[in-house]
Amino acid sequence: MATDFTEETAAAAVIASLADTPDPRLRELLSGLVKHLHAFARETEPTIAEWEYAIDFLTRTGQKCDDERQEFILLSDVLGISMLVETINNRKHGKATESTVLGPFHVVESPRRELGDSIDFVGTGQPCVVRGRVLTAAGAPGLPGLPGLPVPGAELDVWQANDQGFYDVQQPGMQPRANGRGLFTAGADGAFWFRTIVPSYYPIPTDGPVGDLLNATKRHPYRPAHIHFIVSAPSHRTLTTHIFVAGSQYIESDAVFAVKKSLIADFTLTDDADLAARYGLNGPFFLIDFDFILLS
Ligand SMILES: [Fe+2]
């Protein structure tokens, strides 16, 4: 252990202290963290007051968290780290559907629902039907490179904001519990469909330290309209992603950097009365077709 602490030797001394960490991956992660944190401090030379502010900021970030509020995920999101880690871990593979961030609102278990059920229990938004298939990116036997076989037994965990841009957990007493949430099992042919309403764009919560950060940097807090999905199936990699509403405000400036072009879908207004009747609706509605293609 070094006894002559200097700006130049500090990082090496701390990294050396980690040499006996039994878990090599933990040693690698901690060593990298120390190396870059020290480089950050040497480069920016924070004052004691600034460092104390940083400690207080992180303290307040933790204190803002509870069972239904996750300020650390928000912080990771607005700094682009959530999206970077997600992208590193899910590099684009052929035709597989791209992933995006989990976000901070997957905080309650989605209730199991039947195909065709509605996840909207308020009824003030524009009705819409989401339909598609869950397919495998793997080629058919003997036909490598031909994705498209249905994945039997796929599950789709869905959650979204309402037409005012709020999740159920943000409006207890105003929205029924689990409004905008559902856990669906696709059919044997991979097909799924459910009813909902077109979600609105929304601001991420700004009444905590992350809001202070956005304010101080003159950044807006908005996310373009989207529906969240976690799609899972036996023998396939679980996919965490969104469907973004094409044309939504803020699609070019998502506060958490989560938009990928392949995830933007047209929500098409249809006034086909027969189709509406088939889906248990009356009047015009929006229709979204989106297939999820999973890696095996
Ligand atoms: Fe969201």
Side-chain angles (χ1 to χ4, degrees), residues 85-115:
V85 172
E86 183 66 39
T87 302
I88 288 168
N89 279 273
N90 293 282
R91 293 190 174 106
K92 180 91 173 106
H93 294 281
K95 295 187 173 177
T97 303
E98 291 191 283
S99 63
T100 191
V101 295
L102 177 68
F105 291 114
H106 189 248
V107 284
V108 293
E109 201 170 320
S110 299
R112 186 163 285 284
R113 305 196 195 281
E114 300 299 319
L115 291 179

PDB file of all heavy atoms in Angstrom, residues 85-115:
ATOM      1  N   VAL A  85     -25.540   0.457 -21.934  1.00  0.00           N
ATOM      2  CA  VAL A  85     -25.395  -0.912 -21.421  1.00  0.00           C
ATOM      3  C   VAL A  85     -26.352  -1.851 -22.151  1.00  0.00           C
ATOM      4  O   VAL A  85     -25.990  -2.972 -22.533  1.00  0.00           O
ATOM      5  CB  VAL A  85     -25.630  -0.937 -19.897  1.00  0.00           C
ATOM      6  CG1 VAL A  85     -25.674  -2.372 -19.373  1.00  0.00           C
ATOM      7  CG2 VAL A  85     -24.537  -0.152 -19.176  1.00  0.00           C
ATOM      8  N   GLU A  86     -27.577  -1.383 -22.357  1.00  0.00           N
ATOM      9  CA  GLU A  86     -28.571  -2.179 -23.084  1.00  0.00           C
ATOM     10  C   GLU A  86     -28.060  -2.506 -24.491  1.00  0.00           C
ATOM     11  O   GLU A  86     -28.165  -3.641 -24.963  1.00  0.00           O
ATOM     12  CB  GLU A  86     -29.880  -1.381 -23.162  1.00  0.00           C
ATOM     13  CG  GLU A  86     -31.041  -2.086 -23.812  1.00  0.00           C
ATOM     14  CD  GLU A  86     -31.529  -3.282 -23.022  1.00  0.00           C
ATOM     15  OE1 GLU A  86     -31.571  -3.217 -21.785  1.00  0.00           O
ATOM     16  OE2 GLU A  86     -31.851  -4.305 -23.663  1.00  0.00           O
ATOM     17  N   THR A  87     -27.504  -1.520 -25.150  1.00  0.00           N
ATOM     18  CA  THR A  87     -27.062  -1.705 -26.535  1.00  0.00           C
ATOM     19  C   THR A  87     -25.839  -2.618 -26.611  1.00  0.00           C
ATOM     20  O   THR A  87     -25.735  -3.470 -27.494  1.00  0.00           O
ATOM     21  CB  THR A  87     -26.760  -0.324 -27.163  1.00  0.00           C
ATOM     22  OG1 THR A  87     -27.945   0.468 -27.081  1.00  0.00           O
ATOM     23  CG2 THR A  87     -26.357  -0.455 -28.615  1.00  0.00           C
ATOM     24  N   ILE A  88     -24.917  -2.463 -25.655  1.00  0.00           N
ATOM     25  CA  ILE A  88     -23.747  -3.349 -25.610  1.00  0.00           C
ATOM     26  C   ILE A  88     -24.187  -4.803 -25.434  1.00  0.00           C
ATOM     27  O   ILE A  88     -23.640  -5.716 -26.051  1.00  0.00           O
ATOM     28  CB  ILE A  88     -22.810  -2.940 -24.449  1.00  0.00           C
ATOM     29  CG1 ILE A  88     -22.094  -1.632 -24.781  1.00  0.00           C
ATOM     30  CG2 ILE A  88     -21.799  -4.045 -24.131  1.00  0.00           C
ATOM     31  CD1 ILE A  88     -21.379  -1.008 -23.590  1.00  0.00           C
ATOM     32  N   ASN A  89     -25.196  -4.995 -24.593  1.00  0.00           N
ATOM     33  CA  ASN A  89     -25.631  -6.358 -24.279  1.00  0.00           C
ATOM     34  C   ASN A  89     -26.571  -6.956 -25.312  1.00  0.00           C
ATOM     35  O   ASN A  89     -26.902  -8.134 -25.248  1.00  0.00           O
ATOM     36  CB  ASN A  89     -26.291  -6.393 -22.900  1.00  0.00           C
ATOM     37  CG  ASN A  89     -25.262  -6.445 -21.794  1.00  0.00           C
ATOM     38  OD1 ASN A  89     -24.810  -7.510 -21.413  1.00  0.00           O
ATOM     39  ND2 ASN A  89     -24.857  -5.273 -21.316  1.00  0.00           N
ATOM     40  N   ASN A  90     -27.036  -6.131 -26.217  1.00  0.00           N
ATOM     41  CA  ASN A  90     -27.977  -6.620 -27.232  1.00  0.00           C
ATOM     42  C   ASN A  90     -27.597  -6.047 -28.590  1.00  0.00           C
ATOM     43  O   ASN A  90     -28.393  -5.365 -29.226  1.00  0.00           O
ATOM     44  CB  ASN A  90     -29.411  -6.237 -26.868  1.00  0.00           C
ATOM     45  CG  ASN A  90     -29.882  -6.960 -25.628  1.00  0.00           C
ATOM     46  OD1 ASN A  90     -30.237  -8.131 -25.668  1.00  0.00           O
ATOM     47  ND2 ASN A  90     -29.854  -6.259 -24.495  1.00  0.00           N
ATOM     48  N   ARG A  91     -26.367  -6.360 -29.000  1.00  0.00           N
ATOM     49  CA  ARG A  91     -25.943  -5.851 -30.300  1.00  0.00           C
ATOM     50  C   ARG A  91     -26.855  -6.434 -31.363  1.00  0.00           C
ATOM     51  O   ARG A  91     -27.324  -7.556 -31.244  1.00  0.00           O
ATOM     52  CB  ARG A  91     -24.479  -6.220 -30.544  1.00  0.00           C
ATOM     53  CG  ARG A  91     -23.561  -5.481 -29.563  1.00  0.00           C
ATOM     54  CD  ARG A  91     -22.098  -5.610 -29.917  1.00  0.00           C
ATOM     55  NE  ARG A  91     -21.299  -4.771 -29.028  1.00  0.00           N
ATOM     56  CZ  ARG A  91     -20.545  -5.232 -28.032  1.00  0.00           C
ATOM     57  NH1 ARG A  91     -20.477  -6.515 -27.783  1.00  0.00           N
ATOM     58  NH2 ARG A  91     -19.865  -4.388 -27.267  1.00  0.00           N
ATOM     59  N   LYS A  92     -27.098  -5.635 -32.373  1.00  0.00           N
ATOM     60  CA  LYS A  92     -28.044  -6.031 -33.420  1.00  0.00           C
ATOM     61  C   LYS A  92     -27.589  -7.333 -34.072  1.00  0.00           C
ATOM     62  O   LYS A  92     -26.459  -7.469 -34.501  1.00  0.00           O
ATOM     63  CB  LYS A  92     -28.118  -4.904 -34.457  1.00  0.00           C
ATOM     64  CG  LYS A  92     -29.062  -5.172 -35.611  1.00  0.00           C
ATOM     65  CD  LYS A  92     -30.453  -4.662 -35.316  1.00  0.00           C
ATOM     66  CE  LYS A  92     -31.349  -4.783 -36.556  1.00  0.00           C
ATOM     67  NZ  LYS A  92     -32.319  -5.851 -36.456  1.00  0.00           N
ATOM     68  N   HIS A  93     -28.502  -8.292 -34.102  1.00  0.00           N
ATOM     69  CA  HIS A  93     -28.218  -9.561 -34.756  1.00  0.00           C
ATOM     70  C   HIS A  93     -29.247  -9.776 -35.854  1.00  0.00           C
ATOM     71  O   HIS A  93     -30.409 -10.080 -35.566  1.00  0.00           O
ATOM     72  CB  HIS A  93     -28.301 -10.713 -33.756  1.00  0.00           C
ATOM     73  CG  HIS A  93     -27.234 -10.648 -32.700  1.00  0.00           C
ATOM     74  ND1 HIS A  93     -25.947 -11.055 -32.929  1.00  0.00           N
ATOM     75  CD2 HIS A  93     -27.270 -10.212 -31.423  1.00  0.00           C
ATOM     76  CE1 HIS A  93     -25.226 -10.885 -31.836  1.00  0.00           C
ATOM     77  NE2 HIS A  93     -25.993 -10.367 -30.901  1.00  0.00           N
ATOM     78  N   GLY A  94     -28.827  -9.609 -37.087  1.00  0.00           N
ATOM     79  CA  GLY A  94     -29.706  -9.898 -38.218  1.00  0.00           C
ATOM     80  C   GLY A  94     -31.047  -9.210 -38.091  1.00  0.00           C
ATOM     81  O   GLY A  94     -31.120  -7.999 -37.880  1.00  0.00           O
ATOM     82  N   LYS A  95     -32.093 -10.011 -38.165  1.00  0.00           N
ATOM     83  CA  LYS A  95     -33.440  -9.435 -38.182  1.00  0.00           C
ATOM     84  C   LYS A  95     -34.080  -9.365 -36.801  1.00  0.00           C
ATOM     85  O   LYS A  95     -35.257  -9.011 -36.678  1.00  0.00           O
ATOM     86  CB  LYS A  95     -34.332 -10.256 -39.108  1.00  0.00           C
ATOM     87  CG  LYS A  95     -33.867 -10.175 -40.565  1.00  0.00           C
ATOM     88  CD  LYS A  95     -34.844 -10.835 -41.504  1.00  0.00           C
ATOM     89  CE  LYS A  95     -34.422 -10.567 -42.947  1.00  0.00           C
ATOM     90  NZ  LYS A  95     -35.272 -11.233 -43.916  1.00  0.00           N
ATOM     91  N   ALA A  96     -33.344  -9.731 -35.784  1.00  0.00           N
ATOM     92  CA  ALA A  96     -33.935  -9.709 -34.436  1.00  0.00           C
ATOM     93  C   ALA A  96     -34.383  -8.292 -34.074  1.00  0.00           C
ATOM     94  O   ALA A  96     -33.753  -7.306 -34.453  1.00  0.00           O
ATOM     95  CB  ALA A  96     -32.917 -10.213 -33.422  1.00  0.00           C
ATOM     96  N   THR A  97     -35.470  -8.211 -33.332  1.00  0.00           N
ATOM     97  CA  THR A  97     -35.983  -6.913 -32.893  1.00  0.00           C
ATOM     98  C   THR A  97     -34.978  -6.259 -31.955  1.00  0.00           C
ATOM     99  O   THR A  97     -34.407  -6.922 -31.077  1.00  0.00           O
ATOM    100  CB  THR A  97     -37.331  -7.095 -32.174  1.00  0.00           C
ATOM    101  OG1 THR A  97     -38.228  -7.754 -33.076  1.00  0.00           O
ATOM    102  CG2 THR A  97     -37.928  -5.765 -31.755  1.00  0.00           C
ATOM    103  N   GLU A  98     -34.780  -4.977 -32.132  1.00  0.00           N
ATOM    104  CA  GLU A  98     -33.830  -4.259 -31.293  1.00  0.00           C
ATOM    105  C   GLU A  98     -34.409  -4.029 -29.899  1.00  0.00           C
ATOM    106  O   GLU A  98     -35.631  -3.918 -29.723  1.00  0.00           O
ATOM    107  CB  GLU A  98     -33.453  -2.929 -31.935  1.00  0.00           C
ATOM    108  CG  GLU A  98     -32.630  -3.124 -33.201  1.00  0.00           C
ATOM    109  CD  GLU A  98     -32.037  -1.826 -33.695  1.00  0.00           C
ATOM    110  OE1 GLU A  98     -32.776  -1.027 -34.286  1.00  0.00           O
ATOM    111  OE2 GLU A  98     -30.832  -1.610 -33.483  1.00  0.00           O
ATOM    112  N   SER A  99     -33.516  -3.922 -28.941  1.00  0.00           N
ATOM    113  CA  SER A  99     -33.931  -3.691 -27.555  1.00  0.00           C
ATOM    114  C   SER A  99     -33.846  -2.206 -27.233  1.00  0.00           C
ATOM    115  O   SER A  99     -33.256  -1.430 -27.975  1.00  0.00           O
ATOM    116  CB  SER A  99     -33.012  -4.464 -26.610  1.00  0.00           C
ATOM    117  OG  SER A  99     -31.700  -3.970 -26.745  1.00  0.00           O
ATOM    118  N   THR A 100     -34.445  -1.855 -26.121  1.00  0.00           N
ATOM    119  CA  THR A 100     -34.229  -0.514 -25.574  1.00  0.00           C
ATOM    120  C   THR A 100     -34.419  -0.573 -24.066  1.00  0.00           C
ATOM    121  O   THR A 100     -34.574  -1.643 -23.499  1.00  0.00           O
ATOM    122  CB  THR A 100     -35.110   0.543 -26.274  1.00  0.00           C
ATOM    123  OG1 THR A 100     -34.673   1.835 -25.887  1.00  0.00           O
ATOM    124  CG2 THR A 100     -36.573   0.384 -25.954  1.00  0.00           C
ATOM    125  N   VAL A 101     -34.379   0.580 -23.423  1.00  0.00           N
ATOM    126  CA  VAL A 101     -34.303   0.594 -21.955  1.00  0.00           C
ATOM    127  C   VAL A 101     -35.549   0.023 -21.269  1.00  0.00           C
ATOM    128  O   VAL A 101     -36.654   0.090 -21.804  1.00  0.00           O
ATOM    129  CB  VAL A 101     -34.080   2.022 -21.415  1.00  0.00           C
ATOM    130  CG1 VAL A 101     -32.728   2.548 -21.844  1.00  0.00           C
ATOM    131  CG2 VAL A 101     -35.192   2.961 -21.867  1.00  0.00           C
ATOM    132  N   LEU A 102     -35.342  -0.500 -20.076  1.00  0.00           N
ATOM    133  CA  LEU A 102     -36.461  -0.963 -19.250  1.00  0.00           C
ATOM    134  C   LEU A 102     -37.262   0.230 -18.728  1.00  0.00           C
ATOM    135  O   LEU A 102     -38.489   0.205 -18.679  1.00  0.00           O
ATOM    136  CB  LEU A 102     -35.918  -1.778 -18.074  1.00  0.00           C
ATOM    137  CG  LEU A 102     -36.937  -2.278 -17.056  1.00  0.00           C
ATOM    138  CD1 LEU A 102     -37.841  -3.341 -17.671  1.00  0.00           C
ATOM    139  CD2 LEU A 102     -36.234  -2.856 -15.817  1.00  0.00           C
ATOM    140  N   GLY A 103     -36.559   1.276 -18.338  1.00  0.00           N
ATOM    141  CA  GLY A 103     -37.239   2.440 -17.759  1.00  0.00           C
ATOM    142  C   GLY A 103     -37.620   2.199 -16.313  1.00  0.00           C
ATOM    143  O   GLY A 103     -37.468   1.087 -15.799  1.00  0.00           O
ATOM    144  N   PRO A 104     -38.103   3.242 -15.633  1.00  0.00           N
ATOM    145  CA  PRO A 104     -38.325   3.152 -14.191  1.00  0.00           C
ATOM    146  C   PRO A 104     -39.746   2.752 -13.785  1.00  0.00           C
ATOM    147  O   PRO A 104     -40.056   2.756 -12.605  1.00  0.00           O
ATOM    148  CB  PRO A 104     -38.035   4.583 -13.730  1.00  0.00           C
ATOM    149  CG  PRO A 104     -38.475   5.423 -14.882  1.00  0.00           C
ATOM    150  CD  PRO A 104     -38.221   4.632 -16.127  1.00  0.00           C
ATOM    151  N   PHE A 105     -40.600   2.401 -14.730  1.00  0.00           N
ATOM    152  CA  PHE A 105     -42.012   2.175 -14.364  1.00  0.00           C
ATOM    153  C   PHE A 105     -42.444   0.717 -14.409  1.00  0.00           C
ATOM    154  O   PHE A 105     -43.623   0.426 -14.296  1.00  0.00           O
ATOM    155  CB  PHE A 105     -42.932   3.023 -15.250  1.00  0.00           C
ATOM    156  CG  PHE A 105     -42.811   4.487 -14.969  1.00  0.00           C
ATOM    157  CD1 PHE A 105     -42.293   5.348 -15.913  1.00  0.00           C
ATOM    158  CD2 PHE A 105     -43.200   5.001 -13.740  1.00  0.00           C
ATOM    159  CE1 PHE A 105     -42.161   6.701 -15.651  1.00  0.00           C
ATOM    160  CE2 PHE A 105     -43.073   6.351 -13.459  1.00  0.00           C
ATOM    161  CZ  PHE A 105     -42.557   7.207 -14.417  1.00  0.00           C
ATOM    162  N   HIS A 106     -41.487  -0.192 -14.552  1.00  0.00           N
ATOM    163  CA  HIS A 106     -41.857  -1.614 -14.490  1.00  0.00           C
ATOM    164  C   HIS A 106     -41.759  -2.041 -13.030  1.00  0.00           C
ATOM    165  O   HIS A 106     -40.977  -2.906 -12.647  1.00  0.00           O
ATOM    166  CB  HIS A 106     -40.928  -2.462 -15.365  1.00  0.00           C
ATOM    167  CG  HIS A 106     -41.387  -3.873 -15.520  1.00  0.00           C
ATOM    168  ND1 HIS A 106     -40.704  -4.944 -14.982  1.00  0.00           N
ATOM    169  CD2 HIS A 106     -42.473  -4.393 -16.129  1.00  0.00           C
ATOM    170  CE1 HIS A 106     -41.363  -6.066 -15.255  1.00  0.00           C
ATOM    171  NE2 HIS A 106     -42.427  -5.753 -15.955  1.00  0.00           N
ATOM    172  N   VAL A 107     -42.573  -1.401 -12.210  1.00  0.00           N
ATOM    173  CA  VAL A 107     -42.390  -1.522 -10.763  1.00  0.00           C
ATOM    174  C   VAL A 107     -43.447  -2.390 -10.098  1.00  0.00           C
ATOM    175  O   VAL A 107     -43.333  -2.703  -8.926  1.00  0.00           O
ATOM    176  CB  VAL A 107     -42.381  -0.128 -10.090  1.00  0.00           C
ATOM    177  CG1 VAL A 107     -41.059   0.561 -10.333  1.00  0.00           C
ATOM    178  CG2 VAL A 107     -43.534   0.729 -10.588  1.00  0.00           C
ATOM    179  N   VAL A 108     -44.467  -2.762 -10.836  1.00  0.00           N
ATOM    180  CA  VAL A 108     -45.471  -3.663 -10.276  1.00  0.00           C
ATOM    181  C   VAL A 108     -45.683  -4.797 -11.273  1.00  0.00           C
ATOM    182  O   VAL A 108     -45.459  -4.641 -12.468  1.00  0.00           O
ATOM    183  CB  VAL A 108     -46.814  -2.953 -10.002  1.00  0.00           C
ATOM    184  CG1 VAL A 108     -46.660  -1.931  -8.899  1.00  0.00           C
ATOM    185  CG2 VAL A 108     -47.382  -2.315 -11.255  1.00  0.00           C
ATOM    186  N   GLU A 109     -46.127  -5.933 -10.730  1.00  0.00           N
ATOM    187  CA  GLU A 109     -46.322  -7.102 -11.586  1.00  0.00           C
ATOM    188  C   GLU A 109     -47.525  -6.869 -12.494  1.00  0.00           C
ATOM    189  O   GLU A 109     -48.572  -6.413 -12.046  1.00  0.00           O
ATOM    190  CB  GLU A 109     -46.561  -8.319 -10.696  1.00  0.00           C
ATOM    191  CG  GLU A 109     -46.284  -9.625 -11.386  1.00  0.00           C
ATOM    192  CD  GLU A 109     -46.299 -10.773 -10.392  1.00  0.00           C
ATOM    193  OE1 GLU A 109     -45.767 -10.573  -9.263  1.00  0.00           O
ATOM    194  OE2 GLU A 109     -46.860 -11.821 -10.718  1.00  0.00           O
ATOM    195  N   SER A 110     -47.357  -7.179 -13.772  1.00  0.00           N
ATOM    196  CA  SER A 110     -48.487  -7.017 -14.697  1.00  0.00           C
ATOM    197  C   SER A 110     -49.470  -8.168 -14.492  1.00  0.00           C
ATOM    198  O   SER A 110     -49.061  -9.325 -14.418  1.00  0.00           O
ATOM    199  CB  SER A 110     -47.991  -7.036 -16.141  1.00  0.00           C
ATOM    200  OG  SER A 110     -47.104  -5.970 -16.356  1.00  0.00           O
ATOM    201  N   PRO A 111     -50.770  -7.867 -14.406  1.00  0.00           N
ATOM    202  CA  PRO A 111     -51.747  -8.939 -14.231  1.00  0.00           C
ATOM    203  C   PRO A 111     -51.896  -9.769 -15.504  1.00  0.00           C
ATOM    204  O   PRO A 111     -51.812  -9.232 -16.608  1.00  0.00           O
ATOM    205  CB  PRO A 111     -53.042  -8.179 -13.931  1.00  0.00           C
ATOM    206  CG  PRO A 111     -52.844  -6.821 -14.469  1.00  0.00           C
ATOM    207  CD  PRO A 111     -51.377  -6.529 -14.446  1.00  0.00           C
ATOM    208  N   ARG A 112     -52.090 -11.054 -15.319  1.00  0.00           N
ATOM    209  CA  ARG A 112     -52.264 -11.935 -16.482  1.00  0.00           C
ATOM    210  C   ARG A 112     -53.592 -11.607 -17.168  1.00  0.00           C
ATOM    211  O   ARG A 112     -54.620 -11.449 -16.506  1.00  0.00           O
ATOM    212  CB  ARG A 112     -52.230 -13.392 -16.028  1.00  0.00           C
ATOM    213  CG  ARG A 112     -52.248 -14.380 -17.162  1.00  0.00           C
ATOM    214  CD  ARG A 112     -51.801 -15.753 -16.716  1.00  0.00           C
ATOM    215  NE  ARG A 112     -50.358 -15.837 -16.510  1.00  0.00           N
ATOM    216  CZ  ARG A 112     -49.469 -15.915 -17.510  1.00  0.00           C
ATOM    217  NH1 ARG A 112     -49.872 -15.895 -18.771  1.00  0.00           N
ATOM    218  NH2 ARG A 112     -48.189 -16.013 -17.251  1.00  0.00           N
ATOM    219  N   ARG A 113     -53.551 -11.478 -18.475  1.00  0.00           N
ATOM    220  CA  ARG A 113     -54.765 -11.175 -19.240  1.00  0.00           C
ATOM    221  C   ARG A 113     -54.836 -12.109 -20.442  1.00  0.00           C
ATOM    222  O   ARG A 113     -53.838 -12.682 -20.869  1.00  0.00           O
ATOM    223  CB  ARG A 113     -54.759  -9.718 -19.704  1.00  0.00           C
ATOM    224  CG  ARG A 113     -54.583  -8.694 -18.567  1.00  0.00           C
ATOM    225  CD  ARG A 113     -54.969  -7.302 -19.032  1.00  0.00           C
ATOM    226  NE  ARG A 113     -54.510  -6.256 -18.123  1.00  0.00           N
ATOM    227  CZ  ARG A 113     -55.101  -5.915 -16.977  1.00  0.00           C
ATOM    228  NH1 ARG A 113     -56.181  -6.567 -16.577  1.00  0.00           N
ATOM    229  NH2 ARG A 113     -54.623  -4.944 -16.223  1.00  0.00           N
ATOM    230  N   GLU A 114     -56.071 -12.235 -20.996  1.00  0.00           N
ATOM    231  CA  GLU A 114     -56.293 -13.082 -22.164  1.00  0.00           C
ATOM    232  C   GLU A 114     -56.069 -12.275 -23.431  1.00  0.00           C
ATOM    233  O   GLU A 114     -56.298 -11.054 -23.450  1.00  0.00           O
ATOM    234  CB  GLU A 114     -57.737 -13.625 -22.153  1.00  0.00           C
ATOM    235  CG  GLU A 114     -58.086 -14.454 -20.935  1.00  0.00           C
ATOM    236  CD  GLU A 114     -57.216 -15.694 -20.819  1.00  0.00           C
ATOM    237  OE1 GLU A 114     -56.943 -16.343 -21.851  1.00  0.00           O
ATOM    238  OE2 GLU A 114     -56.782 -15.993 -19.681  1.00  0.00           O
ATOM    239  N   LEU A 115     -55.657 -12.952 -24.500  1.00  0.00           N
ATOM    240  CA  LEU A 115     -55.521 -12.279 -25.785  1.00  0.00           C
ATOM    241  C   LEU A 115     -56.825 -11.565 -26.123  1.00  0.00           C
ATOM    242  O   LEU A 115     -57.915 -12.138 -25.970  1.00  0.00           O
ATOM    243  CB  LEU A 115     -55.175 -13.285 -26.891  1.00  0.00           C
ATOM    244  CG  LEU A 115     -53.784 -13.914 -26.816  1.00  0.00           C
ATOM    245  CD1 LEU A 115     -53.594 -14.908 -27.968  1.00  0.00           C
ATOM    246  CD2 LEU A 115     -52.683 -12.868 -26.835  1.00  0.00           C
TER     247      LEU A 115
END
